[in-house]
Coordinates of all heavy atoms in Angstrom, one line a residue:
M53 N 17.7 11.2 -1.0 CA 17.8 10.2 -2.1 C 16.5 10.2 -2.9 O 15.4 9.9 -2.4 CB 18.1 8.8 -1.6 CG 18.0 7.7 -2.6 SD 18.5 6.1 -2.1 CE 17.5 5.8 -0.7
S54 N 16.6 10.5 -4.2 CA 15.4 10.5 -5.1 C 15.2 9.1 -5.6 O 16.1 8.4 -6.0 CB 15.6 11.5 -6.2 OG 14.5 11.5 -7.0
V55 N 14.0 8.7 -5.6 CA 13.5 7.4 -6.2 C 12.7 7.7 -7.4 O 11.8 8.5 -7.4 CB 12.7 6.7 -5.1 CG1 12.1 5.4 -5.7 CG2 13.5 6.4 -3.9
P56 N 13.0 6.9 -8.5 CA 12.3 7.2 -9.8 C 10.8 6.8 -9.6 O 10.4 5.8 -9.0 CB 12.9 6.2 -10.8 CG 14.2 5.8 -10.2 CD 14.1 5.9 -8.7
Q57 N 9.9 7.7 -10.2 CA 8.5 7.5 -10.2 C 8.1 6.5 -11.2 O 8.8 6.4 -12.2 CB 7.8 8.8 -10.4 CG 8.0 9.9 -9.4 CD 7.3 11.2 -9.7 OE1 6.2 11.2 -10.4 NE2 7.8 12.3 -9.3
L58 N 7.0 5.8 -11.0 CA 6.5 5.0 -12.1 C 6.1 5.8 -13.3 O 5.5 6.9 -13.1 CB 5.2 4.2 -11.6 CG 5.4 3.2 -10.5 CD1 4.1 2.5 -10.2 CD2 6.5 2.1 -10.9
T59 N 6.2 5.3 -14.5 CA 5.7 5.9 -15.7 C 4.2 5.7 -15.7 O 3.7 4.8 -15.0 CB 6.4 5.3 -16.9 OG1 6.0 4.0 -17.0 CG2 7.9 5.4 -16.9
D60 N 3.5 6.4 -16.6 CA 2.1 6.1 -16.7 C 1.8 4.7 -17.1 O 0.9 4.1 -16.6 CB 1.5 7.1 -17.8 CG 1.5 8.5 -17.3 OD1 1.6 8.8 -16.1 OD2 1.3 9.4 -18.2
A61 N 2.6 4.1 -18.0 CA 2.4 2.8 -18.4 C 2.6 1.8 -17.3 O 1.9 0.8 -17.1 CB 3.4 2.4 -19.6
E62 N 3.7 2.0 -16.5 CA 3.9 1.2 -15.3 C 2.8 1.3 -14.3 O 2.4 0.3 -13.7 CB 5.2 1.6 -14.6 CG 6.5 1.2 -15.5 CD 7.7 1.8 -14.9 OE1 7.7 2.9 -14.3 OE2 8.8 1.1 -15.0
R63 N 2.3 2.5 -14.1 CA 1.1 2.7 -13.1 C -0.1 1.9 -13.7 O -0.8 1.2 -12.9 CB 0.9 4.1 -13.0 CG -0.2 4.4 -11.9 CD -0.6 5.8 -11.8 NE -1.3 6.2 -13.1 CZ -1.1 7.3 -13.8 NH1 -0.3 8.2 -13.3 NH2 -1.8 7.5 -14.9
D64 N -0.4 2.0 -15.0 CA -1.5 1.4 -15.6 C -1.4 -0.2 -15.4 O -2.4 -0.9 -15.2 CB -1.7 1.8 -17.0 CG -2.1 3.2 -17.2 OD1 -2.5 3.9 -16.2 OD2 -2.0 3.8 -18.3
A65 N -0.2 -0.7 -15.6 CA 0.1 -2.1 -15.5 C -0.1 -2.6 -14.1 O -0.7 -3.6 -13.8 CB 1.5 -2.4 -16.0
L66 N 0.3 -1.8 -13.1 CA 0.1 -2.1 -11.7 C -1.4 -2.2 -11.4 O -1.8 -3.2 -10.8 CB 0.8 -1.0 -10.9 CG 0.5 -1.1 -9.4 CD1 1.1 -2.3 -8.7 CD2 1.0 0.2 -8.7
L67 N -2.1 -1.2 -11.8 CA -3.6 -1.3 -11.5 C -4.3 -2.4 -12.2 O -5.3 -2.9 -11.8 CB -4.2 0.1 -11.8 CG -3.7 1.2 -10.9 CD1 -4.2 2.6 -11.4 CD2 -4.1 1.0 -9.5
S68 N -3.8 -2.7 -13.4 CA -4.4 -3.8 -14.2 C -4.1 -5.2 -13.5 O -5.0 -6.0 -13.4 CB -3.8 -3.8 -15.6 OG -4.3 -4.9 -16.3
E69 N -2.9 -5.3 -12.9 CA -2.6 -6.6 -12.3 C -3.1 -6.7 -10.8 O -3.3 -7.8 -10.3 CB -1.0 -6.7 -12.2 CG -0.4 -6.9 -13.5 CD 1.1 -6.8 -13.5 OE1 1.7 -7.1 -12.4 OE2 1.8 -6.5 -14.5
H70 N -3.4 -5.5 -10.3 CA -3.9 -5.5 -8.9 C -5.2 -4.6 -8.8 O -5.2 -3.5 -8.3 CB -2.8 -5.0 -7.9 CG -1.6 -5.8 -7.9 ND1 -1.5 -6.9 -7.2 CD2 -0.5 -5.7 -8.6 CE1 -0.3 -7.5 -7.4 NE2 0.3 -6.8 -8.3
S71 N -6.2 -5.1 -9.4 CA -7.4 -4.3 -9.7 C -8.2 -3.9 -8.4 O -9.1 -3.0 -8.4 CB -8.4 -5.0 -10.6 OG -8.8 -6.2 -10.1
D72 N -7.9 -4.5 -7.2 CA -8.5 -4.1 -6.0 C -7.9 -2.9 -5.4 O -8.5 -2.3 -4.4 CB -8.4 -5.3 -5.0 CG -9.3 -6.5 -5.4 OD1 -10.3 -6.3 -6.0 OD2 -8.9 -7.6 -5.1
W73 N -6.8 -2.4 -6.0 CA -6.2 -1.2 -5.5 C -6.7 0.0 -6.4 O -6.9 -0.3 -7.6 CB -4.7 -1.3 -5.6 CG -4.1 -2.2 -4.6 CD1 -4.0 -3.6 -4.7 CD2 -3.6 -1.9 -3.3 NE1 -3.5 -4.1 -3.6 CE2 -3.1 -3.1 -2.7 CE3 -3.3 -0.7 -2.7 CZ2 -2.5 -3.2 -1.5 CZ3 -2.7 -0.8 -1.4 CH2 -2.4 -2.0 -0.8
S74 N -6.8 1.2 -5.9 CA -7.2 2.3 -6.7 C -6.3 3.5 -6.5 O -5.7 3.6 -5.4 CB -8.7 2.7 -6.4 OG -8.8 3.0 -5.1
L75 N -6.3 4.4 -7.4 CA -5.4 5.6 -7.3 C -6.0 6.5 -6.2 O -7.2 6.6 -6.0 CB -5.4 6.3 -8.6 CG -4.6 5.7 -9.7 CD1 -4.6 6.5 -11.0 CD2 -3.1 5.6 -9.3
A76 N -5.1 7.2 -5.6 CA -5.5 8.2 -4.5 C -4.5 9.3 -4.7 O -3.5 9.3 -5.4 CB -5.4 7.5 -3.2
R77 N -4.9 10.4 -4.0 CA -4.0 11.6 -3.9 C -3.6 12.1 -5.3 O -2.4 12.2 -5.6 CB -2.8 11.3 -3.1 CG -3.2 11.0 -1.6 CD -2.0 10.9 -0.8 NE -2.4 10.4 0.5 CZ -1.6 9.9 1.4 NH1 -0.4 9.7 1.2 NH2 -2.1 9.5 2.6
E78 N -4.5 12.2 -6.2 CA -4.3 12.7 -7.6 C -3.3 11.8 -8.3 O -2.4 12.3 -9.0 CB -3.9 14.2 -7.5 CG -5.0 15.1 -6.9 CD -4.5 16.5 -6.7 OE1 -3.3 16.8 -7.0 OE2 -5.4 17.3 -6.4
G79 N -3.3 10.5 -8.1 CA -2.5 9.6 -8.8 C -1.1 9.4 -8.2 O -0.3 8.7 -8.7
R80 N -0.9 10.0 -7.0 CA 0.5 9.9 -6.4 C 0.5 8.8 -5.4 O 1.6 8.5 -4.8 CB 0.8 11.2 -5.7 CG 1.0 12.4 -6.6 CD 1.6 13.6 -6.0 NE 0.8 14.0 -4.8 CZ -0.2 14.8 -4.7 NH1 -0.7 15.4 -5.8 NH2 -0.8 15.1 -3.6
A81 N -0.6 8.1 -5.2 CA -0.7 7.0 -4.2 C -1.7 6.0 -4.7 O -2.5 6.2 -5.6 CB -1.0 7.5 -2.8
V82 N -1.7 4.8 -4.0 CA -2.8 3.8 -4.2 C -3.3 3.4 -2.9 O -2.6 3.5 -1.9 CB -2.3 2.6 -5.0 CG1 -2.0 2.9 -6.4 CG2 -1.0 2.0 -4.3
E83 N -4.6 2.9 -2.9 CA -5.2 2.5 -1.6 C -6.1 1.3 -1.9 O -6.5 1.0 -3.0 CB -6.0 3.7 -1.1 CG -7.1 4.2 -1.9 CD -7.8 5.4 -1.4 OE1 -7.3 6.0 -0.5 OE2 -8.9 5.8 -2.0
R84 N -6.3 0.6 -0.7 CA -7.2 -0.5 -0.8 C -7.7 -0.8 0.6 O -7.0 -0.5 1.6 CB -6.4 -1.8 -1.2 CG -7.3 -3.0 -1.2 CD -6.6 -4.2 -1.8 NE -7.5 -5.4 -1.7 CZ -7.1 -6.6 -1.9 NH1 -5.9 -6.9 -2.4 NH2 -8.0 -7.6 -1.8
T85 N -9.0 -1.2 0.7 CA -9.6 -1.5 2.0 C -9.8 -3.1 2.0 O -10.2 -3.7 1.1 CB -11.0 -0.9 2.1 OG1 -10.8 0.6 2.1 CG2 -11.7 -1.2 3.4
F86 N -9.4 -3.6 3.1 CA -9.5 -5.1 3.4 C -10.5 -5.3 4.5 O -10.5 -4.5 5.5 CB -8.1 -5.6 3.8 CG -7.0 -5.5 2.8 CD1 -6.3 -4.3 2.7 CD2 -6.7 -6.5 2.0 CE1 -5.3 -4.2 1.8 CE2 -5.7 -6.4 1.0 CZ -5.0 -5.2 1.0
T87 N -11.4 -6.2 4.4 CA -12.3 -6.5 5.4 C -12.2 -8.0 5.8 O -12.0 -8.9 5.0 CB -13.8 -6.3 4.9 OG1 -13.9 -5.0 4.4 CG2 -14.8 -6.5 6.0
F88 N -12.1 -8.2 7.2 CA -11.9 -9.5 7.7 C -13.1 -9.9 8.6 O -14.0 -9.2 8.8 CB -10.6 -9.5 8.6 CG -9.4 -9.1 7.7 CD1 -9.0 -7.8 7.6 CD2 -8.7 -10.1 7.0 CE1 -7.9 -7.4 6.8 CE2 -7.6 -9.7 6.2 CZ -7.2 -8.4 6.1
A89 N -13.0 -11.1 9.1 CA -14.1 -11.7 9.9 C -14.2 -10.9 11.2 O -15.4 -10.7 11.7 CB -13.9 -13.1 10.2
D90 N -13.1 -10.5 11.8 CA -13.2 -9.8 13.1 C -11.9 -9.0 13.3 O -11.0 -9.0 12.5 CB -13.4 -10.8 14.2 CG -12.4 -12.0 14.3 OD1 -11.2 -11.8 13.8 OD2 -12.8 -13.1 14.7
F91 N -11.8 -8.4 14.5 CA -10.6 -7.6 14.8 C -9.3 -8.4 14.9 O -8.3 -8.0 14.4 CB -10.9 -6.9 16.2 CG -9.7 -6.0 16.6 CD1 -9.4 -4.8 16.0 CD2 -8.9 -6.5 17.6 CE1 -8.3 -4.1 16.4 CE2 -7.8 -5.7 18.0 CZ -7.5 -4.5 17.4
S92 N -9.4 -9.6 15.5 CA -8.2 -10.4 15.6 C -7.6 -10.8 14.3 O -6.4 -10.7 14.1 CB -8.6 -11.7 16.4 OG -7.5 -12.5 16.5
E93 N -8.5 -11.1 13.3 CA -8.0 -11.4 12.0 C -7.4 -10.2 11.3 O -6.4 -10.3 10.6 CB -9.2 -12.0 11.1 CG -8.7 -12.6 9.8 CD -9.9 -13.3 9.1 OE1 -10.6 -14.1 9.7 OE2 -10.0 -13.0 7.9
A94 N -8.0 -9.0 11.5 CA -7.5 -7.8 10.9 C -6.2 -7.5 11.5 O -5.2 -7.1 10.8 CB -8.5 -6.7 11.1
W95 N -6.0 -7.6 12.8 CA -4.8 -7.3 13.5 C -3.7 -8.3 13.1 O -2.5 -7.9 12.9 CB -5.0 -7.4 15.0 CG -3.8 -6.8 15.7 CD1 -2.8 -7.5 16.3 CD2 -3.5 -5.4 16.0 NE1 -1.9 -6.6 16.9 CE2 -2.3 -5.3 16.7 CE3 -4.2 -4.2 15.7 CZ2 -1.8 -4.1 17.1 CZ3 -3.7 -3.0 16.1 CH2 -2.5 -3.0 16.7
G96 N -4.0 -9.5 12.9 CA -3.0 -10.5 12.4 C -2.5 -10.1 11.0 O -1.3 -10.2 10.8
F97 N -3.4 -9.7 10.2 CA -3.0 -9.2 8.8 C -2.1 -8.0 9.0 O -1.0 -8.0 8.3 CB -4.3 -8.9 8.0 CG -4.0 -8.2 6.8 CD1 -3.5 -8.8 5.6 CD2 -4.3 -6.8 6.6 CE1 -3.3 -8.2 4.4 CE2 -4.0 -6.1 5.4 CZ -3.6 -6.8 4.4
M98 N -2.4 -7.1 9.8 CA -1.6 -5.9 10.0 C -0.2 -6.3 10.5 O 0.8 -5.7 10.1 CB -2.2 -4.9 10.9 CG -3.5 -4.2 10.3 SD -4.3 -3.1 11.5 CE -3.1 -1.8 11.6
S99 N -0.1 -7.3 11.4 CA 1.2 -7.7 11.9 C 2.0 -8.3 10.8 O 3.2 -8.1 10.7 CB 0.9 -8.8 13.0 OG 0.3 -8.2 14.1
R100 N 1.4 -9.1 9.9 CA 2.1 -9.7 8.8 C 2.6 -8.6 7.8 O 3.7 -8.7 7.3 CB 1.3 -10.8 8.1 CG 1.1 -12.0 9.0 CD 0.4 -13.2 8.3 NE -0.9 -12.9 7.7 CZ -2.0 -12.9 8.3 NH1 -2.1 -13.2 9.6 NH2 -3.1 -12.6 7.7
V101 N 1.7 -7.6 7.5 CA 2.1 -6.5 6.7 C 3.3 -5.8 7.3 O 4.2 -5.3 6.6 CB 0.9 -5.6 6.4 CG1 1.4 -4.4 5.6 CG2 -0.1 -6.4 5.5
A102 N 3.2 -5.6 8.6 CA 4.3 -4.8 9.3 C 5.7 -5.5 9.1 O 6.7 -4.9 8.9 CB 4.0 -4.7 10.8
L103 N 5.7 -6.8 9.2 CA 6.9 -7.6 9.0 C 7.4 -7.4 7.6 O 8.6 -7.2 7.3 CB 6.7 -9.1 9.3 CG 6.5 -9.4 10.8 CD1 6.1 -10.8 11.0 CD2 7.6 -9.0 11.7
I104 N 6.5 -7.5 6.6 CA 6.9 -7.3 5.2 C 7.4 -5.9 5.0 O 8.5 -5.6 4.3 CB 5.7 -7.6 4.3 CG1 5.4 -9.0 4.3 CG2 6.0 -7.1 2.8 CD1 4.0 -9.4 3.6
A105 N 6.7 -4.9 5.6 CA 7.1 -3.5 5.4 C 8.6 -3.3 5.9 O 9.4 -2.6 5.3 CB 6.1 -2.6 6.1
D106 N 8.8 -3.8 7.1 CA 10.2 -3.7 7.6 C 11.2 -4.3 6.7 O 12.3 -3.8 6.5 CB 10.3 -4.3 9.1 CG 9.9 -3.3 10.1 OD1 9.8 -2.1 9.8 OD2 9.8 -3.7 11.3
S107 N 10.9 -5.5 6.2 CA 11.9 -6.2 5.3 C 12.1 -5.4 4.0 O 13.2 -5.5 3.4 CB 11.5 -7.6 5.1 OG 10.4 -7.7 4.2
H108 N 11.1 -4.7 3.6 CA 11.2 -3.9 2.3 C 11.6 -2.5 2.6 O 11.9 -1.7 1.7 CB 9.8 -3.9 1.7 CG 9.4 -5.1 1.0 ND1 8.7 -5.2 -0.2 CD2 9.5 -6.4 1.4 CE1 8.5 -6.4 -0.5 NE2 9.0 -7.2 0.4
D109 N 11.7 -2.1 3.9 CA 12.0 -0.7 4.3 C 11.1 0.3 3.6 O 11.5 1.3 3.0 CB 13.5 -0.4 4.0 CG 13.9 0.9 4.7 OD1 13.2 1.3 5.8 OD2 14.8 1.6 4.2
H110 N 9.8 -0.1 3.5 CA 8.8 0.7 2.9 C 7.5 0.5 3.7 O 6.9 -0.6 3.6 CB 8.6 0.3 1.4 CG 7.7 1.2 0.6 ND1 8.0 2.6 0.5 CD2 6.6 1.0 -0.1 CE1 7.1 3.1 -0.2 NE2 6.2 2.2 -0.6
H111 N 7.0 1.5 4.4 CA 6.0 1.4 5.3 C 4.7 2.0 4.9 O 4.7 3.2 4.4 CB 6.4 2.0 6.7 CG 7.7 1.3 7.2 ND1 8.9 1.7 6.8 CD2 7.8 0.2 7.9 CE1 9.8 0.8 7.3 NE2 9.2 -0.1 8.0
P112 N 3.6 1.3 5.1 CA 2.3 1.9 4.6 C 1.7 2.9 5.6 O 2.1 3.0 6.7 CB 1.4 0.6 4.6 CG 1.9 -0.2 5.7 CD 3.4 0.0 5.7
E113 N 0.8 3.7 5.1 CA -0.1 4.5 5.9 C -1.3 3.7 6.0 O -1.8 3.2 5.0 CB -0.4 5.8 5.2 CG 0.9 6.7 5.0 CD 0.6 7.9 4.1 OE1 -0.6 8.4 4.1 OE2 1.5 8.4 3.5
W114 N -1.8 3.5 7.2 CA -3.0 2.7 7.4 C -3.9 3.1 8.5 O -3.5 3.9 9.3 CB -2.7 1.2 7.5 CG -1.7 0.8 8.5 CD1 -1.2 1.5 9.6 CD2 -1.0 -0.5 8.6 NE1 -0.3 0.8 10.3 CE2 -0.2 -0.5 9.7 CE3 -1.0 -1.6 7.8 CZ2 0.6 -1.5 10.1 CZ3 -0.2 -2.7 8.1 CH2 0.6 -2.6 9.3
F115 N -5.1 2.6 8.4 CA -6.1 2.9 9.4 C -6.9 1.6 9.7 O -7.2 0.9 8.7 CB -7.1 4.0 8.8 CG -8.2 4.4 9.7 CD1 -8.0 5.2 10.7 CD2 -9.5 3.9 9.5 CE1 -9.0 5.6 11.6 CE2 -10.5 4.3 10.3 CZ -10.3 5.1 11.3
N116 N -7.2 1.4 10.9 CA -7.9 0.1 11.3 C -9.1 0.5 12.2 O -8.9 1.2 13.2 CB -7.0 -0.8 12.0 CG -7.7 -1.9 12.7 OD1 -7.6 -2.0 14.0 ND2 -8.4 -2.8 12.0
V117 N -10.3 -0.1 11.9 CA -11.4 -0.1 12.8 C -12.0 -1.5 12.7 O -12.3 -2.0 11.7 CB -12.5 1.0 12.4 CG1 -13.7 0.8 13.2 CG2 -11.9 2.4 12.5
Y118 N -12.0 -2.1 13.9 CA -12.6 -3.4 14.1 C -12.0 -4.4 13.0 O -10.9 -4.8 13.0 CB -14.1 -3.4 14.2 CG -14.7 -4.8 14.4 CD1 -14.3 -5.5 15.6 CD2 -15.5 -5.4 13.6 CE1 -14.8 -6.8 15.8 CE2 -16.0 -6.7 13.8 CZ -15.6 -7.4 15.0 OH -16.1 -8.6 15.2
N119 N -12.9 -4.7 12.0 CA -12.5 -5.8 11.0 C -12.0 -5.2 9.7 O -11.8 -5.9 8.7 CB -13.6 -6.7 10.8 CG -14.8 -6.1 10.0 OD1 -15.0 -4.9 10.1 ND2 -15.6 -6.9 9.3
R120 N -11.8 -3.9 9.7 CA -11.5 -3.2 8.4 C -10.1 -2.6 8.5 O -9.7 -1.9 9.5 CB -12.5 -2.1 8.1 CG -12.4 -1.5 6.7 CD -13.4 -0.5 6.4 NE -13.1 0.8 7.1 CZ -13.8 1.4 8.0 NH1 -14.9 0.9 8.4 NH2 -13.4 2.5 8.5
V121 N -9.3 -2.8 7.5 CA -7.9 -2.2 7.4 C -7.8 -1.4 6.1 O -8.1 -2.0 5.0 CB -6.8 -3.2 7.5 CG1 -5.4 -2.6 7.3 CG2 -6.9 -4.0 8.8
E122 N -7.6 -0.1 6.1 CA -7.4 0.7 4.9 C -5.9 1.0 4.8 O -5.3 1.4 5.8 CB -8.1 2.0 5.1 CG -9.6 1.8 5.2 CD -10.4 3.1 5.5 OE1 -9.7 4.2 5.5 OE2 -11.6 3.0 5.9
I123 N -5.3 0.7 3.6 CA -3.9 0.9 3.4 C -3.7 1.8 2.3 O -4.3 1.7 1.2 CB -3.2 -0.5 3.1 CG1 -3.2 -1.4 4.3 CG2 -1.7 -0.2 2.7 CD1 -2.6 -2.8 4.0
T124 N -2.8 2.8 2.5 CA -2.4 3.7 1.4 C -0.9 3.6 1.2 O -0.2 3.5 2.2 CB -2.7 5.2 1.8 OG1 -4.1 5.3 2.0 CG2 -2.3 6.1 0.7
L125 N -0.5 3.5 0.0 CA 1.0 3.4 -0.3 C 1.4 4.5 -1.2 O 0.7 4.8 -2.2 CB 1.3 2.0 -1.0 CG 1.1 0.8 -0.2 CD1 1.3 -0.5 -1.0 CD2 2.1 0.7 1.0
T126 N 2.5 5.1 -0.9 CA 3.2 6.1 -1.8 C 4.6 6.1 -1.4 O 5.0 5.6 -0.3 CB 2.6 7.5 -1.6 OG1 3.0 8.3 -2.6 CG2 2.8 8.1 -0.3
T127 N 5.5 6.5 -2.2 CA 6.9 6.6 -1.9 C 7.3 8.1 -1.7 O 7.3 8.8 -2.7 CB 7.8 6.0 -3.1 OG1 7.4 4.6 -3.3 CG2 9.2 6.1 -2.7
H128 N 7.5 8.4 -0.5 CA 7.8 9.9 -0.2 C 9.0 10.3 -0.9 O 9.1 11.5 -1.3 CB 7.8 10.1 1.3 CG 6.5 9.8 2.0 ND1 5.4 10.6 1.9 CD2 6.1 8.7 2.6 CE1 4.4 10.1 2.5 NE2 4.7 8.9 3.0
D129 N 10.0 9.5 -1.0 CA 11.3 9.9 -1.7 C 11.2 10.1 -3.2 O 12.1 10.6 -3.8 CB 12.4 8.8 -1.4 CG 12.8 8.8 0.0 OD1 12.6 9.8 0.8 OD2 13.4 7.8 0.5
A130 N 10.0 9.6 -3.8 CA 9.9 9.7 -5.2 C 9.4 11.2 -5.6 O 9.7 11.6 -6.7 CB 8.9 8.7 -5.7
D131 N 8.8 11.9 -4.7 CA 8.4 13.3 -4.9 C 8.1 13.9 -3.6 O 7.0 14.2 -3.2 CB 7.2 13.3 -5.8 CG 6.8 14.7 -6.3 OD1 7.6 15.6 -6.0 OD2 5.8 14.8 -7.0
P132 N 9.2 14.2 -2.9 CA 9.0 14.7 -1.5 C 8.3 16.1 -1.4 O 7.7 16.4 -0.4 CB 10.5 14.8 -0.9 CG 11.4 14.7 -2.1 CD 10.6 14.0 -3.2
D133 N 8.5 16.9 -2.4 CA 7.8 18.2 -2.4 C 6.3 18.1 -2.5 O 5.6 19.1 -2.2 CB 8.4 19.1 -3.5 CG 9.9 19.4 -3.3 OD1 10.3 19.4 -2.2 OD2 10.5 19.6 -4.3
N134 N 5.8 17.0 -3.0 CA 4.3 16.9 -3.2 C 3.7 15.7 -2.4 O 2.7 15.2 -2.7 CB 4.0 16.7 -4.7 CG 4.3 17.9 -5.5 OD1 3.8 19.0 -5.2 ND2 5.1 17.8 -6.5
G135 N 4.5 15.2 -1.4 CA 3.9 14.2 -0.5 C 4.1 12.8 -1.0 O 3.6 11.8 -0.4
G136 N 4.9 12.6 -2.1 CA 5.2 11.3 -2.6 C 4.6 11.0 -4.0 O 3.9 11.8 -4.5
A137 N 5.0 9.9 -4.5 CA 4.6 9.4 -5.8 C 4.7 7.9 -5.8 O 5.4 7.3 -4.9 CB 5.4 10.1 -7.0
L138 N 4.2 7.3 -6.8 CA 4.3 5.8 -6.9 C 5.7 5.4 -7.5 O 6.2 6.1 -8.4 CB 3.2 5.3 -7.8 CG 1.8 5.4 -7.2 CD1 0.7 5.0 -8.2 CD2 1.7 4.6 -5.9
S139 N 6.2 4.3 -7.0 CA 7.5 3.8 -7.4 C 7.5 2.3 -7.4 O 6.5 1.7 -7.0 CB 8.6 4.4 -6.5 OG 8.7 3.6 -5.3
Q140 N 8.6 1.7 -7.8 CA 8.7 0.3 -7.7 C 8.6 -0.3 -6.3 O 8.2 -1.4 -6.1 CB 10.0 -0.2 -8.4 CG 10.0 -0.1 -9.9 CD 9.0 -1.0 -10.5 OE1 8.7 -2.1 -10.1 NE2 8.3 -0.5 -11.5
R141 N 8.9 0.6 -5.3 CA 8.7 0.1 -3.9 C 7.3 -0.2 -3.7 O 7.0 -1.2 -3.0 CB 9.2 1.3 -3.0 CG 10.7 1.5 -3.0 CD 11.0 2.6 -2.0 NE 12.4 2.9 -2.1 CZ 13.0 3.9 -1.4 NH1 12.3 4.6 -0.6 NH2 14.3 4.1 -1.4
D142 N 6.4 0.6 -4.2 CA 5.0 0.4 -4.0 C 4.5 -0.9 -4.8 O 3.7 -1.6 -4.3 CB 4.2 1.6 -4.5 CG 4.6 2.8 -3.7 OD1 4.4 2.9 -2.5 OD2 5.1 3.8 -4.3
V143 N 5.0 -1.1 -5.9 CA 4.7 -2.3 -6.7 C 5.1 -3.5 -5.9 O 4.3 -4.5 -5.8 CB 5.5 -2.3 -8.1 CG1 5.3 -3.6 -8.8 CG2 5.0 -1.1 -8.9
K144 N 6.3 -3.5 -5.3 CA 6.7 -4.7 -4.6 C 5.8 -4.9 -3.3 O 5.5 -6.0 -3.0 CB 8.2 -4.6 -4.2 CG 9.1 -4.7 -5.4 CD 10.5 -4.4 -5.0 CE 11.4 -4.4 -6.2 NZ 12.8 -4.1 -5.9
M145 N 5.5 -3.8 -2.6 CA 4.7 -3.9 -1.4 C 3.3 -4.4 -1.8 O 2.7 -5.3 -1.1 CB 4.6 -2.6 -0.7 CG 5.7 -2.3 0.2 SD 5.9 -3.5 1.6 CE 4.4 -3.1 2.5
I146 N 2.7 -3.9 -2.9 CA 1.4 -4.4 -3.3 C 1.4 -5.9 -3.6 O 0.5 -6.6 -3.1 CB 0.8 -3.6 -4.5 CG1 0.5 -2.2 -4.0 CG2 -0.4 -4.2 -5.1 CD1 0.3 -1.2 -5.2
A147 N 2.4 -6.3 -4.3 CA 2.4 -7.8 -4.6 C 2.6 -8.6 -3.3 O 1.9 -9.6 -3.2 CB 3.6 -8.0 -5.5
A148 N 3.4 -8.1 -2.4 CA 3.6 -8.8 -1.1 C 2.3 -8.8 -0.3 O 1.9 -9.9 0.3 CB 4.7 -8.2 -0.3
I149 N 1.6 -7.7 -0.2 CA 0.4 -7.6 0.6 C -0.7 -8.5 0.0 O -1.4 -9.2 0.7 CB -0.1 -6.1 0.7 CG1 0.9 -5.3 1.6 CG2 -1.5 -6.0 1.2 CD1 0.7 -3.8 1.5
D150 N -0.8 -8.4 -1.3 CA -1.9 -9.2 -2.0 C -1.6 -10.7 -1.9 O -2.5 -11.5 -1.9 CB -2.0 -8.8 -3.5 CG -2.8 -7.5 -3.7 OD1 -3.3 -6.9 -2.7 OD2 -2.9 -7.1 -4.9
G151 N -0.3 -11.0 -1.8 CA 0.1 -12.4 -1.5 C -0.4 -13.0 -0.2 O -0.4 -14.2 0.0
L152 N -0.7 -12.1 0.7 CA -1.2 -12.6 2.0 C -2.6 -12.9 2.0 O -3.1 -13.7 2.9 CB -1.0 -11.4 3.1 CG 0.4 -11.0 3.4 CD1 0.4 -9.8 4.4 CD2 1.2 -12.2 4.0
I153 N -3.4 -12.4 1.0 CA -4.8 -12.7 1.0 C -5.1 -14.0 0.3 O -4.6 -14.3 -0.7 CB -5.5 -11.5 0.3 CG1 -5.2 -10.2 1.0 CG2 -7.0 -11.7 0.1 CD1 -5.7 -10.2 2.4

């Protein structure tokens, strides 16, 4: 199933509204690093994101060390031949994740 990619204007609007996120993978993904007080707080955040991801059926790529969580979002179905692209799925996940902070 192919998912429509964001247009350049939609991508620019996304980054304007969520300026803590930045483009990655030659514009096919976005990423953000979150820093918390300690590991427990970081893990709690990841648990809340995991619940959101399941409800959205859109799962992040992430990395955690102690109090830091790095999240990368892309929609693999939007451009499967190139590892993904940004779509409305990413826009919704970013809004939900930022809503936790």
Side-chain angles (χ1 to χ4, degrees):
M53 168 175 57
S54 182
V55 175
Q57 296 180 29
L58 294 182
T59 65
D60 290 345
E62 289 170 325
R63 186 188 64 221
D64 293 346
L66 170 66
L67 294 172
S68 176
E69 292 172 25
H70 300 277
S71 59
D72 290 327
W73 293 82
S74 59
L75 287 178
R77 299 184 186 162
E78 299 175 354
R80 294 188 312 269
V82 288
E83 61 188 9
R84 180 174 175 188
T85 299
F86 298 84
T87 304
F88 299 94
D90 55 28
F91 178 75
S92 179
E93 192 175 308
W95 191 263
F97 169 75
M98 290 176 68
S99 295
R100 290 189 304 276
V101 171
L103 293 172
I104 291 168
D106 270 351
S107 72
H108 287 217
D109 193 28
H110 190 54
H111 302 86
E113 298 172 24
W114 53 15
F115 180 78
N116 164 245
V117 174
Y118 184 58
N119 69 334
R120 191 178 77 239
V121 177
E122 299 171 11
I123 296 180
T124 301
L125 292 172
T126 192
T127 302
H128 297 283
D129 292 339
D131 190 359
D133 295 333
N134 292 306
L138 294 171
S139 76
Q140 285 299 320
R141 291 180 184 178
D142 302 298
V143 173
K144 291 176 184 176
M145 276 298 295
I146 288 168
I149 291 169
D150 282 358
L152 296 175
I153 301 301

